[in-house]
Amino acid sequence: FPVTIQQNMPAKIEGLKFTTKSKTEVQPEGCGKIWFRPSTDNAARSLESVSDILIDEHSFIDNADELYASAAPTQEAVGDEARTIIASTMSESGKLSAFWQMFAADNPCDAEDMVERVKDGREEPFTYWIDNAGWAKVLIHWKAHPIYSSIPDFLEKTKREKKLSQSKLEREYNLS
């Protein structure tokens, strides 16, 4: 899955030794492996039992539904201990994206309404619920951050300083 890792960062942890350390696999001595795979349909096929899958920026991956579908079977042998995290801001495809389709499905509440409630302060800036299929759905607004939430006019300041359009500011910072 698309991941950037600073390879020297784990080396700064005292006593941490590696049996494998490459751009595609990291294995600390006495621990499991961390695999870094490209965002292709078959990237995870044939991997041994995978306990955790993280797909970041899922909304921006063209073949995201296929990527997830091909990765999910790698967790079968792990059973109930398997964990999958699918995270993203919204891409230009918005509610048509595989990410939004998964996020909006099987909820006991209206996902779009919940996003609006968090944005306008009617819900906590860190809000979650468990959907009817057992998935945790999580919304994390910038107001949940201890530093950013203390900056007056954070969105306006960020838009000005980073020279972002309103739509990009809303997408990247305001749950749009």
Side-chain angles (χ1 to χ4, degrees):
F1 305 101
V3 174
T4 302
I5 184 169
Q6 186 178 348
Q7 288 289 340
N8 64 353
M9 202 161 82
K12 295 179 181 178
I13 300 172
E14 192 170 320
L16 186 62
K17 298 187 186 329
F18 296 92
T19 57
T20 306
K21 187 176 175 194
S22 71
K23 289 184 178 187
T24 60
E25 178 186 343
V26 176
Q27 184 173 11
E29 196 171 82
C31 299
K33 294 178 189 174
I34 301 171
W35 291 92
F36 300 94
R37 310 302 291 171
S39 54
T40 62
D41 297 356
N42 297 311
R45 291 193 189 280
S46 303
L47 290 180
E48 55 234 46
S49 297
V50 175
S51 58
D52 300 285
I53 294 174
L54 168 64
I55 303 174
D56 192 20
E57 293 298 2
H58 189 266
S59 182
F60 293 88
I61 302 170
D62 291 333
N63 59 342
D65 53 344
E66 289 299 321
L67 186 146
Y68 171 68
S70 69
T74 66
Q75 295 183 303
E76 288 303 316
V78 180
D80 291 343
E81 297 299 313
R83 291 168 300 273
T84 301
I85 298 171
I86 299 176
S88 193
T89 53
M90 290 296 285
S91 68
E92 297 299 322
S93 60
K95 293 182 182 124
L96 298 175
S97 72
F99 174 76
W100 180 260
Q101 297 301 312
M102 289 181 79
F103 186 77
D106 299 315
N107 292 317
C109 58
D110 180 277
E112 189 170 357
D113 180 58
M114 189 59 77
V115 168
E116 291 306 314
R117 293 173 64 81
V118 168
K119 284 172 61 171
D120 68 21
R122 291 179 286 148
E123 294 288 340
E124 292 296 316
F126 178 88
T127 297
Y128 73 93
W129 64 92
I130 306 298
D131 76 9
N132 299 325
W135 282 67
K137 305 289 180 81
V138 181
L139 291 168
I140 306 172
H141 193 267
W142 65 267
K143 291 177 185 173
H145 193 282
I147 295 172
Y148 303 148
S149 64
S150 68
I151 299 171
D153 302 321
F154 172 75
L155 287 179
E156 293 80 12
K157 181 177 185 267
T158 301
K159 179 181 178 183
R160 184 179 63 254
E161 289 177 357
K162 300 203 183 300
K163 300 190 182 300
L164 295 172
S165 68
Q166 187 65 35
S167 64
K168 287 181 175 46
L169 177 78
E170 290 292 326
R171 179 187 73 207
E172 296 298 331
Y173 290 90
N174 207 27
L175 297 179
S176 293

